[in-house]
Amino acid sequence: MQTIDKRAHITYEEFNTQYLKKGIPLVFTTASRVWGENNFGPDFFTEHFGEHEMEFEGRKYNVKQILELTKNSTPEKPAPYPISFEIPFDMPGFLKYIDPIHLNYATPNWFDSNLFPYGKFGKNINLFFGGQGNQYSLHKDFYHTNAWITQLYGQKKFILFPGEQDEFLYPGKTGYTSFLSPVNVLKPDLQKYPRFRQARPIEVTLQPGETIFVPNGVWHTTVAPGQNISLIVDQMNSTNYAAWRKDIYQISKQKSLVKGILNYSFALAAGTICSVREKNKVNTKIKYKIS
């Protein structure tokens, strides 16, 4: 099985040329050091955010309870998963600890603009708590956003399927279902999904402090070998805007054609504004560099 590159020292330009534009995943081993020497482990979240609550499957859990559950999680009796906190809404005080959130690589990010409503169309910043035995479903991120996942504590194994592999993964035909696969990569039912034999996965285990860039459109899933905490930031800019805009229409029109047209119009207008802003920013930098 192939592996994913891990880079400790890489320039922004090298990343854009060698990985972003080619849609190749990459692990940054030291990028999160821009956040300082904070230890984002269970003790940190217990002390600062222990009483913050989240509802999961009809029951509320606070962070202290979640950490206890994930600590004692086993493959036979896994902790509830995924319990995810929308950081700007559910844990806004954590944002100051992860500034700059773009790590000097996940930029530009058009989702930084207030043009885009938080929690819609792929604009999310999530905190995930997991434990041994927790496994995420095989998927590619809605709206073709780029995903930036930083392992704050513990380890997490990522299994990815880069390139055009939809035919081997049996996604749904329309709307959100087209981003989801029913295949359990650890125990695939090859009689039901025989083409999965032809899939070409690559995998990597993320260590604490490491960040993985998962390009838009790449199928992936995660497996937790033990208690872990992860931060996920979604990104959209000129490199994936066309796919994002198409998804806005395709997903929205499942509810109604009018909704699809309205959301597509919004996507077109917002994208045009962000594109102009990005070009003006680049031109300004060039102007000052020349002068």
Side-chain angles (χ1 to χ4, degrees), residues 35 40 87 94-102 125 152 231:
W35 297 337
F40 296 123
I87 295 177
F94 185 54
L95 289 172
K96 66 181 180 182
Y97 295 99
I98 50 173
D99 181 33
I101 199 168
H102 53 63
I125 304 172
L152 301 180
L231 169 72

Side-chain angles (χ1 to χ4, degrees), residues 60-81:
K60 285 188 176 181
Y61 301 87
N62 65 31
V63 170
K64 289 180 181 178
Q65 292 170 324
I66 295 168
L67 288 169
E68 187 65 21
L69 287 167
T70 54
K71 178 183 178 181
N72 297 314
S73 181
T74 66
E76 295 74 27
K77 192 176 180 180
Y81 190 79

Side-chain angles (χ1 to χ4, degrees), residues 277-289:
R277 287 177 178 174
E278 184 176 317
K279 288 178 181 177
N280 286 341
K281 191 172 183 179
V282 170
N283 289 337
T284 300
K285 287 183 179 179
I286 293 173
K287 178 182 177 181
Y288 283 115
K289 188 174 182 180

Side-chain angles (χ1 to χ4, degrees), residues 49-282:
F49 306 102
E51 302 304 324
H52 285 62
E53 290 185 328
M54 179 53 56
E55 186 172 325
F56 180 76
E57 295 183 346
R59 178 179 172 183
K60 285 188 176 181
Y61 301 87
N62 65 31
V63 170
K64 289 180 181 178
Q65 292 170 324
I66 295 168
L67 288 169
E68 187 65 21
L69 287 167
T70 54
K71 178 183 178 181
N72 297 314
S73 181
T74 66
E76 295 74 27
K77 192 176 180 180
Y81 190 79
I83 300 180
S84 170
F85 287 76
E86 293 279 359
I87 295 177
F89 285 160
D90 305 319
M91 204 179 286
F94 185 54
L95 289 172
K96 66 181 180 182
Y97 295 99
I98 50 173
D99 181 33
I101 199 168
H102 53 63
L103 302 166
N104 297 322
Y105 290 102
T107 183
N109 189 353
W110 291 0
F111 286 147
D112 290 341
S113 170
N114 290 329
L115 289 169
F116 303 91
Y118 185 83
K120 293 186 177 181
F121 308 135
K123 181 177 179 176
N124 297 94
I125 304 172
N126 297 108
L127 189 70
F128 280 80
F129 295 88
Q132 186 183 26
N134 287 151
Q135 177 185 349
Y136 208 84
S137 59
L138 179 58
H139 68 286
K140 55 184 177 181
D141 285 4
F142 295 147
Y143 301 106
H144 276 83
T145 56
N146 296 324
W148 294 78
I149 302 114
T150 299
Q151 199 61 24
L152 301 180
Y153 176 81
Q155 297 177 325
K156 183 176 283 187
K157 178 189 282 189
F158 284 76
I159 304 171
L160 302 92
F161 298 80
E164 299 297 327
Q165 301 201 51
D166 287 35
E167 63 178 305
F168 309 134
L169 304 180
Y170 299 85
K173 300 298 184 182
T174 59
Y176 288 116
T177 67
S178 65
F179 293 83
L180 303 173
S181 168
V183 179
N184 181 340
V185 297
L186 299 184
K187 298 178 181 179
D189 185 339
L190 296 178
Q191 290 206 344
K192 192 173 183 179
Y193 309 112
R195 293 195 301 275
F196 183 71
R197 291 188 180 92
Q198 302 175 58
R200 302 176 303 281
I202 57 176
E203 67 176 52
V204 66
T205 296
L206 220 59
Q207 304 296 330
E210 294 185 336
T211 302
I212 186 170
F213 161 70
V214 181
N216 67 89
V218 172
W219 290 90
H220 58 285
T221 186
T222 60
V223 180
Q227 187 181 37
N228 68 93
I229 305 170
S230 305
L231 169 72
I232 303 177
V233 178
D234 294 317
Q235 179 195 28
M236 188 270 292
N237 57 30
S238 58
T239 62
N240 58 330
Y241 167 66
W244 176 85
R245 184 182 63 199
K246 181 179 178 181
D247 289 344
I248 292 294
Y249 175 71
Q250 294 293 340
I251 292 175
S252 298
K253 79 170 185 177
Q254 297 301 311
K255 295 183 178 180
S256 76
L257 181 59
V258 171
K259 193 173 186 65
I261 293 172
L262 288 174
N263 284 345
Y264 182 85
S265 299
F266 158 76
L268 190 62
T272 300
I273 293 170
C274 288
S275 180
V276 170
R277 287 177 178 174
E278 184 176 317
K279 288 178 181 177
N280 286 341
K281 191 172 183 179
V282 170

